[in-house]
Amino acid sequence: MSFDAEQAKQRFYVCLANIPAGKVISYGQLAELAGLKGRARWVGQMLMRLPEGSRLPWHRVINSQGKLSFPIDSTQYQVQRDLLEAEGVEFSLKGKIDLKKFGFV
DNA sequence: TTCGTGACCTAGC
DNA sequence: AGCTAGGCCACGA
């Protein structure tokens, strides 16, 4: 059985679009939601290659530790964090998100 | 086709 | 809580 990238991409986009504002999900969970269990890294690749104009909520995707997958000092980190805080998502002093509260599952 | 790479994950200490 | 090591899997050179 081979991996159909086109079909996978479609399911991935749909699931991502379904994440409500103010909630976050991990790469692995999103992959599983799209029927792509075990392909968390592929999800990351897709987000990186996402066209800029798209209205997909890429910022609601974080890692399983409840943190953003960017270095603290990067602009990408700031952008994602601002977008999330604008939706009501709270960060701890260490920059961690409470998945019990904001996690989408 | 083989090899290195990465916006990942989990288990162990 | 923080770090390491091993596993994971599609992608591109």
Side-chain angles (χ1 to χ4, degrees):
Chain A
M1 294 199 0
S2 61
F3 174 75
D4 184 341
E6 274 311 307
Q7 201 173 19
K9 200 185 299 183
Q10 292 309 315
R11 289 204 303 268
F12 164 71
Y13 285 149
V14 172
C15 291
L16 177 55
N18 271 323
I19 310 295
K23 292 286 182 182
V24 294
I25 189 172
S26 79
Y27 297 83
Q29 287 176 349
L30 180 54
E32 188 166 0
L33 217 65
L36 302 167
K37 196 144 111 62
R39 292 160 175 80
R41 307 194 79 154
W42 178 83
V43 169
Q45 251 180 21
M46 290 313 289
L47 291 178
M48 180 177 6
R49 300 165 68 94
L50 216 57
E52 296 204 11
S54 75
R55 255 152 270 187
L56 292 168
W58 59 271
H59 54 278
R60 311 213 182 116
V61 187
I62 64 178
N63 63 33
S64 67
Q65 305 170 59
K67 297 192 294 190
L68 309 189
S69 291
F70 289 116
I72 295 291
D73 50 15
S74 69
T75 52
Q76 304 223 60
Y77 179 93
Q78 276 307 325
V79 173
Q80 183 172 14
R81 176 156 177 165
D82 287 345
L83 286 169
L84 287 174
E85 290 184 323
E87 293 181 347
V89 177
E90 299 165 12
F91 288 72
S92 76
L93 294 168
K94 304 265 187 175
K96 212 164 60 179
I97 297 171
D98 184 355
L99 295 177
K100 302 278 191 199
K101 201 169 177 190
F102 302 105
F104 176 76
V105 182

